[in-house]
Structures are given as structure tokens and as C-alpha cells.
Amino acid sequence: AQSVAQPEDQVNVAEGNPLTVKCTYSVSGNPYLFWYVQYPNRGLQFLLKYITGDNLVKGSYGFEAEFNKSQTSFHLKKPSALVSDSALYFCAVRDNYQLIWGAGTKLIIKP
Amino acid sequence: DSGVTQTPKHLITATGQRVTLRCSPRSGDLSVYWYQQSLDQGLQFLIQYYNGEERAKGNILERFSAQQFPDLHSELNLSSLELGDSALYFCASSLGVAGELFFGEGSRLTVL
């Protein structure tokens, strides 16, 4: 069965430092992978997706994600964290017509 | 602004009651999805419609039902409400069945 794992419930990073939010997946066939962000009391916002092509995908707000087929990972990264990046981040993989969601990772950026 | 509109934003009701949540998708989007987000259960997929037809069903209770109308707006009906139904209910839309989703701001339901 298709699945997505976000192994960290929470990630703490100092402002200005690089950040990584981890995601691993299990799918049959080629994965369609997504990252979304949810700010407090808001709906989810699409950040970026991987369908095919370059393993490094660039998205909104300076975020990027690296697709690694051998490690079945799709980690979200940003070179320099901002306090405003503090939010809940969700990884998802497409399974036919549905998205399979990770449990979410709370990212806290400390000044 | 995602272009997806949900009403009401907040709703407080009593156990046993019935409520209807409404969603207007982005202009041109044919797919509508409903999700439930509880504090301790993350994001739970409820149901998906595509151009008026039910496309996929997730963990939707029998007390819940949904439909998508010819103008593509959708409604989620929740009946015989229980305390545990208190949650954020999100609607999302997409152009087709495989693209990224665009989420509304959610309807926060509190059942007392």
C-alpha cells in the first residue's frame, strides 16, 4: 500500500540556519510527490511538487525539495530559515486519484 | 487567497444536530475534496467529487454525506453530531484528478 512517513513531529531551527523537513514514501510505480504548508488557523498551501525530471524541485517562499529515488525520500529544504517559516508542513504522495498524506511536521524557527 | 471559498468559517452546535458546510471551488476546477483535521488525527480524507460524480471515498462516516452540484459547488452534510466531530473541515479543489490541490480556509466546527 502507498504510504508517506514524516519521521519528525517537530523540527527546531535557529533563524538563518538551513532547515530540512524529512519525508519518505512507499509507492508502486513513479511517485507524484507534494509539499504543503499550513500556517496557524489557515488552510494548506501548495509549496512544490515532483512529477518527473530534475531531482531538485524549487517551490514557493524559497523552499526546495530533493527527490531521491534510491532512498525513497523527498526532503524539504531551505538554505536560510526565517521566523515566518514556522508552520506545519505536510508531505503527500499521489495514489491514483487520491493524495496520501504524512502526519505533518511542526517547524519552529527561533530568533 | 487560494480561490476556494468555504462557509461558514465557524460553527458551534449541539450534539445530535445537523449542519451543512459549503464549498465553492476555484474557477474552472472540476474536482472537490473534503478533509477533516482534528488536533490528534492529522488530515483525514473524507470524499472526492469530480464534475458532479463521486470519485473516491475515504474515512467518511455514514452520518456524513456530500454532493457536488451542477455549478460545481459542494456541500458536506454532517448529522447526528457527536463531540468527536469537532474539527476543522477543509475543502480543496483541483483542475483535474491528478494536479495539486488548492485549499479553502476551513470551517471550524465545535460540537458542545
Side-chain angles (χ1 to χ4, degrees):
Chain A
Q2 325 288 45
S3 65
V4 174
Q6 293 182 242
E8 302 153 318
D9 291 337
Q10 183 170 309
V11 171
N12 297 295
V13 177
E15 186 177 27
N17 283 1
L19 70 87
T20 298
V21 183
K22 296 179 180 177
C23 172
T24 59
Y25 64 90
S26 173
V27 300
S28 55
N30 295 321
Y32 286 15
L33 296 155
F34 301 82
W35 274 103
Y36 288 79
V37 60
Q38 185 180 24
Y39 298 103
N41 300 313
R42 303 294 300 277
L44 280 73
Q45 296 179 36
F46 168 74
L47 274 181
L48 50 81
K49 66 181 177 183
Y50 173 83
I51 304 296
T52 186
D54 288 341
N55 290 341
L56 188 64
V57 180
K58 294 191 182 299
S60 306
Y61 310 120
F63 283 93
E64 58 190 25
E66 186 171 11
F67 171 67
N68 187 317
K69 188 172 183 177
S70 63
Q71 297 185 7
T72 62
S73 67
F74 189 55
H75 299 333
L76 182 70
K77 301 182 179 186
K78 188 173 182 180
S80 179
L82 300 173
V83 172
S84 57
D85 293 330
S86 299
L88 188 58
Y89 290 81
F90 289 94
C91 181
V93 63
R94 182 161 291 283
D95 174 21
N96 291 321
Y97 303 120
Q98 296 183 49
L99 283 179
I100 308 299
W101 295 87
T105 298
K106 186 174 183 180
L107 177 63
I108 298 177
I109 309 300
K110 298 185 177 180
Chain B
D1 182 4
S2 68
V4 178
T5 303
Q6 287 189 249
T7 57
K9 291 192 187 321
H10 301 276
L11 193 54
I12 301 174
T13 189
T15 54
Q17 295 299 304
R18 172 189 170 96
V19 299
T20 297
L21 310 180
R22 181 187 169 101
C23 170
S24 294
R26 286 190 327 157
S27 177
D29 283 357
L30 299 177
S31 280
V32 169
Y33 307 74
W34 285 99
Y35 286 88
Q36 180 192 58
Q37 187 178 38
S38 305
L39 202 59
D40 58 350
Q41 293 189 9
L43 203 60
Q44 299 292 325
F45 168 67
L46 297 178
I47 198 164
Q48 179 199 358
Y49 284 84
Y50 177 76
N51 204 19
E53 300 291 326
E54 182 183 304
R55 173 69 71 157
K57 217 168 192 177
N59 300 320
I60 188 167
L61 300 172
E62 285 191 9
R63 300 183 285 109
F64 296 0
S65 65
Q67 55 184 324
Q68 185 180 27
F69 295 88
D71 66 354
L72 301 178
H73 91 272
S74 179
E75 293 181 355
L76 178 67
N77 300 296
L78 315 175
S79 62
S80 302
L81 285 168
E82 302 175 359
L83 295 177
D85 297 328
S86 296
L88 261 174
Y89 291 84
F90 286 108
C91 170
S93 72
S94 65
L95 178 60
V97 296
E100 57 266 33
L101 272 58
F102 294 87
F103 282 78
E105 293 297 303
S107 293
R108 182 174 292 280
L109 174 66
T110 302
V111 183
L112 301 176

